[in-house]
Amino acid sequence: MHPANQLLNSLDPELRRIVYRATQAITQLPPRLRRIIQLIHLTPKQIAEQTKLSLTSVRKYLDEIYCRLGLKRKEAITLQRDVIVALAVVLYQIMYNEK
């Protein structure tokens, strides 16, 4: 079984649907947002330091990413959104062999 399918199958059905939808949306993100999303496991301050962006810009980009992935603030708390995005990034990397 393909590793992407293994990951998806290990998730709760509702989470699986959300993560798969987010993964597909990642393919549509411009490179600047894909760079930020690859660092989702870091704090916004750490992302700003690594990307040489201001903290305000990083937060703006994160809000844009959540919106584009269909993860609005009202739908989930930040930690949950970050977990969903992190899972989607892992799935994206597996599916598209991108590191």
Side-chain angles (χ1 to χ4, degrees):
M1 180 182 286
H2 191 277
N5 290 333
Q6 287 178 319
L7 174 62
L8 281 173
N9 289 337
S10 70
L11 302 175
D12 171 79
E14 179 66 14
L15 182 57
R16 181 183 317 146
R17 182 187 65 75
I18 294 168
V19 168
Y20 184 75
R21 182 185 73 204
T23 301
Q24 295 305 305
I26 289 173
T27 65
Q28 304 301 313
L29 293 176
R32 67 181 163 79
L33 292 181
R34 265 190 281 172
R35 173 69 180 126
I36 300 295
I37 206 170
Q38 296 286 345
L39 302 172
I40 197 73
H41 61 284
L42 302 174
T43 66
K45 183 178 179 183
Q46 291 170 323
I47 293 171
E49 290 168 356
Q50 283 205 10
T51 59
K52 308 287 191 251
L53 294 170
S54 72
L55 186 55
T56 302
S57 293
V58 168
R59 287 187 175 133
K60 189 168 117 179
Y61 286 146
L62 289 172
D63 282 343
E64 184 176 349
I65 287 167
Y66 294 137
C67 184
R68 286 185 182 212
L69 299 186
L71 302 168
K72 298 184 171 120
R73 276 183 206 260
K74 294 177 184 173
E75 293 178 338
I77 63 170
T78 301
L79 177 61
Q80 290 170 331
R81 289 186 301 170
D82 289 350
V83 169
I84 290 167
V85 172
L87 285 169
V89 167
V90 169
L91 184 59
Y92 173 83
Q93 290 171 334
I94 291 170
M95 291 172 67
Y96 298 97
N97 277 336
E98 189 171 301
K99 293 186 180 186

